[in-house]
């Protein structure tokens, strides 16, 4: 019993040192578009995409799985949802992604004929993997910046402009 | 919500959590030679630690220093071992000396190198230091002060209920921190020579 607790404690002490379970998303309204960049730690994203898959994703390497863009798009359609005052989720155009060392940048684009006064975002990125995952969403409209904080308890937030 | 509040919360929660045990252990070791009446010295030393890792977070951002993360993960417990040993020395127990502050600054820089990949994650768009990194660093400082507050409460219990001898408190706390950190050093040993 003691050795169980001792090993549990030490594994906590060692493996979790400096784990930083955070993603940040920044979106800017430009003309009739909302351009969104989501930043996710590459290893976390790989783990998320590999769930229920046999293949290794190997993001950003030469061995990257061919299905990666599709899996990534599906993942974001499921875990990142955005709407203005209407009840329906807006559809985004999946622009693409870039892997820069340990961070993967995912680009999405929404069309808005008029800038909405309120935007509701549901963000569940990586929440299925980590209990302590935190996600930030920052949206900017004509120089006005609004921010929302997401975790296991808070997955739906409204940003008012 | 303003981004400031959210980045502040992010920094705070990053320290006040189980995944920051190495950080907390360093604070415990740093505080071992202090008594309740030195509370201001404790806050100053901890602030030096914050300045240290704020500096390296920014250095990491500018890609001035890049250090192998395996090496950093080993060096972090080394700083705790060193602090615990320093607590046994005359210099380490000299309350008039400011050596603890400089130690905290230096070791803060080392701990901050473990944060080096945080910068790119924290900055948003073209937004700069002030809107993301500054509140994050302030949140880290607040988190550390919360840990310090908890330790000061433990000191109250020690000084008023259990015992008044600072020497025994130091030996107990430094010894515990030394032992835990030594195990972390062995586990994170980055060099080829194996045990």
């Amino acid at each position: 019993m003691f050795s169980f607790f001792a090993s549990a404690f030490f594994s906590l002490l060692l493996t979790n040192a400096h784990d930083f379970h955070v993603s940040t998303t920044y979106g800017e309204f430009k003309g009739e578009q909302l351009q969104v960049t989501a930043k996710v730690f590459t290893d976390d994203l790989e783990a998320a995409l590999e769930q229920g898959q046999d293949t290794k994703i190997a993001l950003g390497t030469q061995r990257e799985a061919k299905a990666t863009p599709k899996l990534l798009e599906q993942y974001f359609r499921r875990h990142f949802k955005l709407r203005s005052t209407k009840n329906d989720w807006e559809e985004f155009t999946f622009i693409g992604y870039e892997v820069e060392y340990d961070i993967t940048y995912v680009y999405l684009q929404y069309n808005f004929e008029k800038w909405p006064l309120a935007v509701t975002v549901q963000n569940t990125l990586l929440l299925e993997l980590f209990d302590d995952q935190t996600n930030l969403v920052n949206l900017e409209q004509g120089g006005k910046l609004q921010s929302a904080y997401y975790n296991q308890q808070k997955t739906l937030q409204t940003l008012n402009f | 919500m303003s981004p400031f509040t959210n980045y502040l919360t992010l920094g705070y929660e990053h320290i006040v959590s189980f995944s920051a045990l190495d950080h907390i252990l360093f604070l415990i070791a740093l505080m071992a030679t202090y008594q309740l009446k030195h509370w201001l010295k404790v806050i100053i030393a901890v602030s030096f630690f914050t300045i240290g890792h704020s500096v390296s977070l920014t250095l990491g951002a500018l890609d001035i220093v890049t250090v192998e993360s395996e090496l950093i993960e080993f060096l972090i417990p080394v700083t705790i071992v060193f602090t615990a040993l320093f607590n046994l020395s005359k210099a380490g127990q000299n309350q008039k000396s400011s050596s603890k502050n400089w130690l905290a600054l230096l070791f803060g820089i080392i701990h901050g190198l473990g944060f080096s990949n945080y910068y790119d994650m924290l900055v948003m768009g073209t937004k700069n230091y002030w809107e993301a990194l500054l509140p994050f660093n302030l949140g880290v400082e607040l988190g550390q002060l919360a840990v310090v507050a908890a330790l000061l409460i433990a000191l109250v219990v020690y000084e008023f209920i259990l015992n008044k001898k600072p020497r025994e408190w130091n030996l107990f706390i430094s010894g515990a921190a030394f032992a835990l950190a030594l195990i972390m050093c062995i586990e994170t040993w980055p060099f080829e020579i194996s045990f």
Side-chain angles (χ1 to χ4, degrees):
Chain A
M1 198 65 182
F2 172 76
S3 65
F4 169 76
F5 279 117
S7 63
F9 177 73
F10 284 124
S11 62
L12 199 66
L13 199 65
L14 300 166
T15 59
N16 282 357
H18 284 296
D19 268 358
F20 191 43
H21 293 141
V22 173
S23 85
T24 60
T25 300
Y26 172 77
E28 192 179 3
F29 285 88
K30 280 185 178 169
E32 294 191 349
Q33 290 169 351
L34 167 61
Q35 295 170 356
V36 174
T37 307
K39 291 188 282 191
V40 188
F41 282 121
T42 304
D43 50 351
D44 298 345
L45 191 58
E46 272 176 350
L49 296 182
E50 282 168 4
Q51 275 203 328
Q53 299 275 333
D54 290 333
T55 43
K56 278 259 173 264
I57 297 292
L59 264 172
T61 68
Q62 297 200 327
R63 293 172 288 110
E64 187 180 277
K66 287 215 167 56
T68 304
K70 207 173 161 210
L71 288 172
L72 206 53
E73 182 177 346
Q74 282 170 355
Y75 186 79
F76 270 80
R77 292 217 185 273
R78 206 165 30 213
H79 292 278
F80 190 87
K81 296 180 178 185
L82 184 148
R83 68 173 184 232
S84 52
T85 42
K86 289 181 297 178
N87 285 326
D88 298 325
W89 297 114
E90 303 281 343
E91 287 287 317
F92 61 69
T93 310
F94 186 78
I95 305 292
Y97 62 99
E98 285 175 307
V99 181
E100 261 182 59
Y101 305 104
D102 42 8
I103 296 178
T104 298
Y105 296 75
V106 179
Y107 304 106
L108 316 173
Q109 187 181 297
Y110 294 86
N111 288 322
F112 282 100
E113 285 181 17
K114 251 180 77 183
W115 291 358
L117 287 174
V119 178
T120 300
V121 179
Q122 187 185 69
N123 187 330
T124 54
L125 294 171
L126 301 171
L127 290 180
E128 76 281 17
L129 285 188
F130 307 115
D131 284 342
D132 61 346
Q133 178 70 30
T134 305
N135 300 311
L136 288 189
V137 173
N138 303 300
L139 295 183
E140 191 166 1
Q141 218 181 66
K144 194 175 177 195
L145 192 63
Q146 286 296 312
S147 180
Y149 194 91
Y150 298 84
N151 56 26
Q152 293 290 349
Q153 285 77 40
K154 289 184 282 187
T155 57
L156 190 74
Q157 304 271 32
T158 299
L159 299 98
N160 294 299
F161 292 98
Chain B
M1 283 287 257
S2 75
F4 193 94
T5 319
N6 285 339
Y7 281 90
L8 191 81
T9 312
L10 202 61
Y12 179 84
E13 294 196 338
H14 183 56
I15 296 303
V16 186
S17 78
F18 277 112
S19 60
L21 271 177
D22 53 349
H23 225 89
I24 294 171
L25 197 58
F26 177 79
L27 294 176
I28 292 174
L30 190 69
M31 284 181 66
T33 55
Y34 293 115
Q35 297 155 253
L36 263 188
K37 61 184 179 191
H38 302 127
W39 62 272
L40 188 60
K41 284 184 190 228
V42 173
I43 290 174
I44 291 171
V46 167
S47 301
F48 268 82
F49 184 57
T50 303
I51 292 168
H53 59 71
S54 299
V55 165
S56 49
L57 186 62
T58 312
L59 290 180
L62 304 173
D63 287 330
I64 293 172
V65 242
T66 41
V67 191
E68 284 287 316
S69 62
E70 280 184 7
L71 186 63
I72 297 303
E73 279 180 23
F74 169 69
L75 285 179
I76 287 171
V78 169
T79 65
I80 304 170
V81 166
F82 188 89
T83 306
L85 288 174
F86 186 63
N87 287 342
L88 297 185
S89 71
K90 271 220 169 75
Q93 290 169 14
N94 180 3
Q95 301 296 357
K96 290 197 185 79
S97 154
S98 61
S99 57
K100 270 285 170 61
N101 294 343
W102 301 116
L103 197 74
L105 183 73
L106 175 69
F107 289 176
I109 290 172
I110 293 174
H111 279 239
L113 290 174
F115 289 11
S116 60
N117 62 352
Y118 290 15
Y119 177 85
D120 291 328
M121 177 54 80
L122 293 173
V123 284
M124 41 183 161
T126 53
K127 295 291 173 263
N128 57 22
Y129 188 81
W130 303 104
E131 290 187 62
L133 277 196
L134 179 74
F136 179 79
N137 286 329
L138 283 177
V140 166
E141 170 76 1
L142 283 179
Q144 286 175 174
L145 291 179
V147 172
V148 166
L151 291 170
L152 286 176
I153 291 171
L155 256 182
V156 171
V157 173
Y158 177 78
E159 287 189 18
F160 288 96
I161 299 170
L162 293 174
N163 199 331
K164 245 196 118 49
K165 290 178 187 146
R167 181 176 166 272
E168 286 169 15
W169 171 260
N170 179 21
L171 292 181
F172 174 69
I173 297 294
S174 294
F178 175 83
L180 285 172
L182 193 66
I183 292 168
M184 290 167 77
C185 286
I186 294 166
E187 295 283 337
T188 55
W189 186 260
F191 310 108
E192 285 304 312
I193 318 147
S194 55
F195 287 93

